[in-house]
Amino acid sequence: MTRIAAFLLGAALTAAPALAQIGNPAGMAPDTRLDEPGKPAPHQTNTQDRLFAQLAAAGGLAEVQLGEMARDKAEAEGVRDFAAMMVEDHGAANARLAELAETVRIPLPQELAPDQQALRERLEAAEGTAFDLAYVRAQVVEHQKTAQLLAWEVGQGQDGEIQRFAAEQLPVVLGHLEQAQRLNAELSGAGGPAR
């Protein structure tokens, strides 16, 4: 490798974090308005942010509805407390996302997606410890998916405000995931009793 190539490679690697940006212009939809060539105008719908907002809103809606059910139906106190936290935290996040989506005219779902409705029906049929375990295991899976979705928006989104929302929510969701994993271990007998 020549000195120049080595220098350019080193410069590129050290500059990479500085090049990360909020408001990524990659992946613009054909109808994206531009402030100047290659730079999307602020506060408009686009492919990445629209998909993120719709998926995040659907997940948040399910978190609140399933959390309300679990808060009333769970046997273990730890599961009831976790469910109450889901209702509060995801309810607040849903409200903030709805404000952001309204600003950029992204329609959000108002009903559960088919897979979420099927999960709701399975949970409605379960009772006692079986309910607690099914709810907590679903929470582990859903929070893993949500964490991936949030990380994707942070890296691929175009709207800076929606990217900031995702960045703010990611540590919250990771905390929820950790608590759900702990509850799952306790309920499965691997980590002691769920209080």
Side-chain angles (χ1 to χ4, degrees):
M1 181 180 300
T2 67
R3 288 173 135 185
I4 295 174
F7 173 77
L8 291 175
L9 178 61
L13 291 175
T14 56
L19 296 176
Q21 62 180 357
I22 296 292
N24 183 0
M28 294 181 285
D31 62 344
T32 301
R33 291 186 334 268
L34 303 175
D35 275 349
E36 56 188 67
K39 182 179 177 190
H43 302 298
Q44 62 179 319
T45 59
N46 56 68
T47 306
Q48 286 86 347
D49 298 325
R50 178 181 292 267
L51 179 60
F52 166 77
Q54 291 171 340
L55 291 173
L61 181 64
E63 287 297 334
V64 171
Q65 287 189 19
L66 298 176
E68 289 169 344
M69 179 195 309
R71 184 182 58 197
D72 298 333
K73 190 173 179 177
E75 194 171 86
E77 182 181 343
V79 176
R80 286 192 306 271
D81 291 346
F82 179 82
M85 182 175 60
M86 294 304 95
V87 172
E88 183 176 331
D89 291 356
H90 286 280
N94 293 350
R96 178 69 180 124
L97 181 58
E99 290 173 9
L100 293 171
E102 185 178 339
T103 301
V104 293
R105 296 180 303 281
I106 298 174
L108 299 180
Q110 302 300 312
E111 296 179 4
L112 295 178
D115 61 326
Q116 296 161 335
Q117 183 60 38
L119 173 59
R120 180 182 179 86
E121 290 167 8
R122 283 194 309 273
L123 290 174
E124 286 173 342
E127 297 293 332
T129 303
F131 171 84
D132 290 2
L133 196 51
Y135 171 71
V136 168
R137 285 181 176 164
Q139 289 301 297
V140 170
V141 171
E142 292 304 314
H143 281 85
Q144 288 170 336
K145 291 191 310 191
T146 302
Q148 289 176 335
L149 179 64
L150 291 165
W152 177 77
E153 173 63 17
V154 169
Q156 300 300 318
Q158 295 180 33
D159 184 284
E161 290 302 313
I162 295 177
Q163 281 182 298
R164 282 183 195 82
F165 167 81
E168 291 165 5
Q169 291 303 308
L170 185 56
V172 175
V173 167
L174 290 173
H176 292 167
L177 173 59
E178 185 178 313
Q179 290 178 315
Q181 290 170 326
R182 187 175 53 1
L183 279 171
N184 183 48
E186 290 171 2
L187 291 168
S188 300
R195 291 172 257 169

